[in-house]
Amino acid sequence: MISHAARAALDELVARDDPTILGLVLSGSAARGDMATERSDVDVYVVRDDDVERGKLHSPAIDEIYWSVADLEQVDRYGTGDWYFRWSFAYAQVLRDQTGGRITEAVRRQATVDDDEQCWILVEQDRLDGYLNFAYRALKNARDGRLLEARLDAAESLPWLLDVVFALAGRLRPYNKYLPWELREHPLAVPEWSAEAFLPELELVLAGDPAAQRRTFAVVDREVRAWDAAHGTTVCGDLVDDWDERELFDPA
């Protein structure tokens, strides 16, 4: 529940008589149900015509983030341009759209990963290979008795892993604050990646548990090969198969 001040600021913005405002998109904790607290401010994208420059008006209660329609319709691929803004549109609430649906569709597209971008994230941006690299290093360190180093590499594997997991689902990885919320409220289709199963497994991976790392790898291996089969390719499976010392992932 947001504070009275934040609610009042949002109500004032929604009621504001300003013909230059073509759309309002509520983001942040206030757009995502029980994530909001009394300490939460309100983040609202204020969408105007294409002559407006990006900017922000900040107050303790509300952040008005000024974007043009053209800004909103520009979807920067993962790893390029301003792509890191994109998840802020996931599960955002369109409070006003006076463009015949252009703003609503642009918000949807910002938070969506299509087939082409899935391949871009998994292969061209090396997120699958990066995950394998750090998971391999973690298991190798654990095997050799370097437990601190194993935990550090296991922790480093997680951003790469989460990019892979969410890309396979056609989504962008959420900001860390929202990971448990998204897994609970918008479950992934893979049973092992449900909130109930995946969050405890991530805790074990963070602790450097080799068995958890191997279980996690096995699910990734299965799911990227399923993605390959669905897209008529072997590119992801080939990446996995290229790793030496595969027995670290699949001990006898």
Side-chain angles (χ1 to χ4, degrees):
M1 179 67 69
I2 63 175
S3 68
H4 292 302
R7 171 55 62 185
L10 178 60
D11 290 345
E12 185 280 323
L13 177 58
V14 170
R16 191 178 300 169
D17 184 14
D18 183 346
T20 71
I21 297 177
L22 302 180
L24 296 171
V25 181
L26 178 64
S27 184
S29 299
R32 298 178 176 94
D34 60 3
M35 288 297 296
T37 72
E38 284 287 327
R39 295 183 297 277
S40 299
D41 62 4
V42 174
D43 300 308
V44 183
Y45 285 91
V46 180
V47 186
R48 290 179 162 148
D49 64 30
D50 293 347
D51 294 329
V52 72
E53 293 185 4
R54 284 196 189 183
K56 179 188 285 189
L57 180 63
H58 173 76
S59 77
I62 192 168
D63 283 345
E64 297 182 23
I65 308 161
Y66 300 114
W67 275 27
S68 68
V69 177
D71 285 332
L72 196 58
E73 291 182 326
Q74 174 63 44
V75 180
D76 292 325
R77 270 188 176 195
Y78 176 98
T80 69
D82 290 334
W83 73 273
Y84 43 82
F85 283 110
R86 285 176 53 190
W87 193 85
S88 65
F89 294 103
Y91 318 110
Q93 298 179 29
V94 179
L95 304 178
R96 182 186 301 174
D97 182 356
Q98 295 178 202
T99 63
R102 286 174 62 192
I103 290 171
T104 301
E105 172 58 20
V107 167
R108 184 202 67 79
R109 180 64 190 89
Q110 286 284 354
T112 303
V113 174
D114 61 18
D115 287 357
D116 179 64
E117 192 175 19
Q118 283 179 312
C119 189
W120 170 260
I121 293 171
L122 294 169
V123 180
E124 300 301 325
Q125 290 290 292
D126 294 323
R127 302 314 286 180
L128 175 58
D129 202 41
Y131 160 67
L132 295 169
N133 180 26
F134 282 112
Y136 166 83
R137 290 173 181 273
L139 289 169
K140 187 175 180 180
N141 279 324
R143 180 196 66 188
D144 296 341
R146 295 188 289 265
L147 301 185
L148 172 61
E149 294 89 334
R151 291 196 300 271
L152 290 171
D153 280 325
E156 290 227 41
S157 76
L158 291 184
W160 305 77
L161 167 66
L162 292 171
D163 279 340
V164 169
V165 165
F166 281 91
L168 289 170
R171 308 185 200 175
L172 292 166
R173 170 167 65 99
Y175 306 141
N176 291 333
K177 171 183 176 180
Y178 294 103
L179 175 63
W181 175 87
E182 179 162 348
L183 290 175
R184 288 193 305 266
E185 299 299 323
H186 303 276
L188 297 168
V190 177
E192 294 92 339
W193 294 338
S194 68
E196 294 75 15
F198 198 35
L199 293 175
E201 199 78 329
L202 293 178
E203 294 275 10
L204 292 173
V205 171
L206 274 172
D209 183 334
Q213 293 169 54
R214 292 188 178 103
R215 288 192 299 267
T216 299
F217 164 77
V219 179
V220 171
D221 186 23
R222 184 191 74 206
E223 292 302 316
V224 297
R225 292 180 194 275
W227 185 89
D228 277 348
H231 293 82
T233 184
T234 62
V235 62
C236 291
D238 290 345
L239 269 176
V240 176
D241 291 338
D242 280 346
W243 275 87
D244 295 330
E245 298 189 61
R246 174 66 182 261
E247 67 273 10
L248 282 170
F249 293 110
D250 299 307

